[in-house]
Amino acid sequence: EDQVLRIACRLTASESALAARLDTACREPILGAWEGSGGWVRAQLHAHFVQLGREAAANVLTGNANSLSSSCGGAWVRMWARTVNFQQWAAAAGVHGAARLW
């Protein structure tokens, strides 16, 4: 089980790029600059998860998880789809009916 979880939690290329951007901005902050500030980090993470939600909704509606699996990792998508969190997200996103078939 740990091996399965380890595979599911591997960073994808887009997640690695986000982590590198956050790391660089936070390690070398410029006094008074927006980039690297707490607000900037929150905005970057918010944008990342908004995009994830949009992509997931589009994938659920088309019945095809290939795009999401490619950007987030297939193992992670399969594990997430089996969680209560996924069901709650699907209901809130208005894709609960389609998600039951996913």
Side-chain angles (χ1 to χ4, degrees):
E1 181 72 358
D2 287 345
Q3 182 65 14
V4 172
L5 184 59
R6 200 175 353 259
I7 290 169
C9 292
R10 284 185 185 145
L11 292 180
T12 63
S14 64
E15 293 165 340
S16 293
L18 172 64
R21 216 172 33 252
L22 294 174
D23 181 58
T24 299
C26 293
R27 283 183 187 270
E28 302 167 10
I30 300 170
L31 187 61
W34 166 247
E35 188 172 324
S37 68
W40 179 83
V41 169
R42 284 187 291 279
Q44 297 299 305
L45 292 172
H46 177 75
H48 175 76
F49 285 110
V50 165
Q51 177 58 32
L52 173 66
R54 285 184 185 139
E55 188 173 356
N59 278 232
V60 167
L61 290 174
T62 63
N64 185 338
N66 289 343
S67 169
L68 189 62
S69 292
S70 176
S71 65
C72 296
W76 182 86
V77 171
R78 286 188 296 280
M79 290 178 88
W80 179 48
R82 295 189 306 242
T83 67
V84 171
N85 174 271
F86 177 82
Q87 297 306 318
Q88 291 172 339
W89 166 82
V95 296
H96 190 262
R100 290 181 303 165
L101 303 173
W102 204 46

